[in-house]
DNA sequence: CACATAGTGAAGTATCTACTTGACCATTGG
DNA sequence: CCAATGGTCAAGTAGATACTTCACTATGTG
């Protein structure tokens, strides 16, 4: 429960990279090996492994070694935390706007009552 | 419409920093000047200005100079794009799980029919 | 066995990030 | 006017990031 901030740092950081997002997109279709994730990307396998490690460090991806291949699957709970942070901020902002709307419509009503 | 990827990069990157997230949280309560944003943070005013520029570059914050103070307000549309990206991935992941659930319950039904 | 495939580990590097300091400019209030 | 306040600009820096290459270790397959 504590130190969600570090996880949020890591998760947003992880999603701030196009290659890593494309890996996540691929993994929403189902589990894949590291070299499968590497195939569409123009970089070395070693680089892809490093990206996978970033995704694993923030909990967005879980991996498991099967024989000589490392299978990756998505673990959406970590992404949900990030999503939730944004949602909460938006809700705060929207309720503030709602109150502003209330004030404005109340003022409008008052000016109708006292023209 | 095109090049949302760059904006997504920038938005996630912007949110990947505790100080910037705390500025966004403050701004959901209402507009604030740069020095108001700086007050609770243990860093120089110049550093805060740079953070504000990051938030402005990805569209999450809009600023306007009034006299000698720069007022900042939140612009939630940019954050919505980031939120939406996560939501879409989760939806893809969930529907995949739903289909898996269908397959499993169908298999269960079959094994009941042919025990 | 021999060879290919899949990944690991370490080291190096160019670029980016999150700051700092210090000089400077603009607005405002006494 | 003049001092304080609010911000700007430029330059520098320590550490992080996103790669690379190369040497190496499993693990499958003909």
């Amino acid at each position: 429960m504590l130190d969600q901030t570090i996880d949020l740092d890591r998760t947003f950081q992880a999603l701030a990279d196009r290659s890593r997002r494309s890996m996540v997109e691929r993994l929403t279709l189902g589990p894949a090996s590291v070299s499968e994730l590497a195939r569409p990307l123009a970089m070395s396998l070693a680089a892809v492994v490093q990206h996978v490690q970033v995704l694993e460090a923030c909990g967005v991806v879980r991996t498991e070694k099967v024989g000589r291949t490392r299978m990756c699957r998505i673990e959406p709970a970590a992404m949900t935390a990030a999503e939730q942070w944004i949602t909460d901020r938006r809700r705060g902002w929207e309720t503030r706007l709602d109150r502003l709307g209330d004030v404005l419509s109340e003022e409008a009503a008052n000016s109708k009552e006292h023209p």
Side-chain angles (χ1 to χ4, degrees), chain A residues 12-84:
Chain A
F12 280 128
Q13 181 71 44
L15 297 179
D17 183 281
R18 196 160 144 55
S19 310
R20 283 193 295 259
R21 281 201 309 277
S22 83
M23 294 180 195
V24 169
E25 284 175 8
R26 166 62 190 81
L27 289 174
T28 56
L29 306 175
S33 69
V34 173
S35 32
E36 230 169 314
L37 292 178
R39 197 127 36 223
L41 299 173
M43 65 181 72
S44 71
L45 183 64
V48 173
V49 171
Q50 285 169 51
H51 280 307
V52 168
Q53 284 167 353
V54 171
L55 289 168
E56 210 175 358
C58 70
V60 164
V61 159
R62 205 159 24 98
T63 79
E64 182 194 4
K65 197 139 190 191
V66 180
R68 66 181 163 178
T69 82
R70 176 171 296 281
M71 288 305 283
C72 312
R73 67 190 63 244
I74 211 164
E75 189 67 65
M79 284 208 313
T80 303
E83 184 186 22
Q84 194 61 43

Side-chain angles (χ1 to χ4, degrees), chain A residues 17 24 34 47 76 78 87-88 91 104 109 115:
Chain A
D17 183 281
V24 169
V34 173
T87 305
D88 290 350
R91 187 155 49 231
L104 289 179

